Amino acid sequence: MINTAAPTISVELRRRFSCATRVLVLTGAGVSAESGVPTFRGGGNSAVWKGMPFDVISSAGMLQRDLPAVWEWFDYRRDLLKALEPNAAHYEIARWQNRFAEFTLVTQNIDGLHQKAGSRDVVELHGNIWRARCTSCLLNHTISTTKGRPDNCEQCGEPLRPDVVLFGEMLPPGAFERAAESASQCELCFVVGTSALVYPAAGLPEVARMAGAYICEVNPEPTPLSDLCDEVLTGKAGAVLPLFGN
Ligand code: APR
């Protein structure tokens, strides 16, 4: 029997939540699921695009071989996103940035929904689908929801690529270092909506734990991280996170 009742937040977690000053939140695709953004994994399946597993179309190798195909995949995901709005989980997390003295939001998501919900200074580990980057001079270009995306760099004219971290590529300079620094300082770490399979992001809760932080996972399904956590709140982020506001 599927237990749809909202999980109970322990007295211990509520106490820590009420007196914490240094808090880290790590999010994954699951935090955007209730907004209608398809996750990559979960429910035993993984995303496929035109017969290709997503981690093939989203790879450095594919970028070398067929940049137009890579753009087609991200154009499709961006078109999906245009009509979607943040959900209660995004808004609750945005509220937390004003509640805690030292709050860090680290996301694996490229959808920009945290920022759309009002989150500032988000550490984007995997880039952002609303940006393109020059393949030569590395200049960043914003992709607007109305005018679409340019093909070539406005500065040097060379082709643009999605400003997203593809499989086989390094994370943006400094992003992980900043996230790891916050993880090593935090008292409370929330892991929301990630399958915790992709590193180095999935290693951040371990850094926080080593530093003595209390780790809370929010996910309707168990993950490889669940056993490491001090508390697991089994449920959807949009239903669970607002419970902290009560
Ligand atoms: N609330 C919370 N969690 C949810 C919800 C929800 N409403 N719906 C699904 N989930 C959980 C799933 O159970 C799963 O554990 O979210 C997780 C989504 O996992 P993935 O699809 O693997 O997403 P993520 O962990 O973010 O993937 C990491 O892999 O594909 C690459 O670069 C991509 O950033 C991504 C990275």
Side-chain angles (χ1 to χ4, degrees):
M1 186 188 72
I2 300 219
N3 176 2
T4 54
T8 304
I9 299 170
S10 72
V11 173
E12 175 64 12
L13 178 50
R14 284 211 180 274
R15 184 187 66 75
R16 287 173 182 265
F17 188 81
S18 64
C19 60
T21 55
R22 299 187 305 280
V23 174
L24 177 106
V25 174
L26 170 66
T27 66
V31 81
S32 295
E34 291 152 85
S35 295
V37 183
T39 59
F40 301 96
R41 307 165 192 89
N45 305 313
S46 62
V48 172
W49 165 256
K50 295 194 172 183
M52 265 183 290
F54 72 94
D55 48 5
V56 172
I57 186 68
S58 283
S59 68
M62 185 57 81
L63 194 77
Q64 295 306 319
R65 288 196 301 279
D66 192 347
L67 175 59
V70 173
W71 267 127
E72 210 189 333
W73 158 243
F74 285 105
D75 291 346
Y76 156 75
R77 298 228 17 135
R78 207 177 318 106
D79 280 349
L80 274 182
L81 281 172
K82 277 182 186 151
L84 303 182
E85 294 298 328
N87 64 62
H90 296 108
Y91 288 115
E92 184 64 26
I93 292 169
R95 275 191 285 277
W96 292 1
Q97 67 191 338
N98 305 318
R99 179 190 177 110
F100 301 106
E102 293 172 46
F103 179 77
T104 307
L105 172 57
V106 179
T107 191
Q108 299 168 83
N109 300 346
I110 62 173
D111 57 31
L113 289 178
H114 280 303
Q115 293 90 334
K116 204 170 179 182
S119 286
R120 302 179 301 271
D121 203 17
V122 180
V123 181
E124 296 177 311
L125 290 180
H126 297 160
N128 190 304
I129 202 170
W130 297 101
R131 287 194 307 265
R133 188 170 81 235
C134 177
T135 52
S136 174
C137 72
L138 306 183
L139 181 71
N140 264 338
H141 297 64
T142 301
I143 300 176
S144 89
T145 49
T146 49
K147 293 202 270 347
R149 66 171 172 83
D151 287 323
N152 294 87
C153 177
E154 64 192 32
Q155 184 166 272
C156 72
E158 289 299 309
L160 298 178
R161 53 153 293 161
D163 188 28
V164 168
V165 177
L166 304 174
F167 284 94
E169 293 188 325
M170 303 292 286
L171 270 56
F176 184 76
E177 292 73 10
R178 192 177 152 214
E181 174 62 22
S182 298
S184 69
Q185 305 287 330
C186 73
E187 301 154 291
L188 191 49
C189 170
F190 287 90
V191 186
V192 184
T194 180
S195 57
L197 295 171
V198 174
Y199 282 75
L204 287 168
E206 179 86 29
V207 173
R209 184 166 179 72
M210 303 278 279
Y214 191 90
I215 317 291
C216 174
E217 181 178 58
V218 178
N219 196 314
E221 294 181 14
T223 74
L225 266 177
S226 303
D227 293 345
L228 175 121
C229 295
D230 298 285
E231 191 153 340
V232 174
L233 300 175
T234 302
K236 296 184 172 186
V240 173
L241 294 186
L243 298 175
F244 284 90
N246 301 349

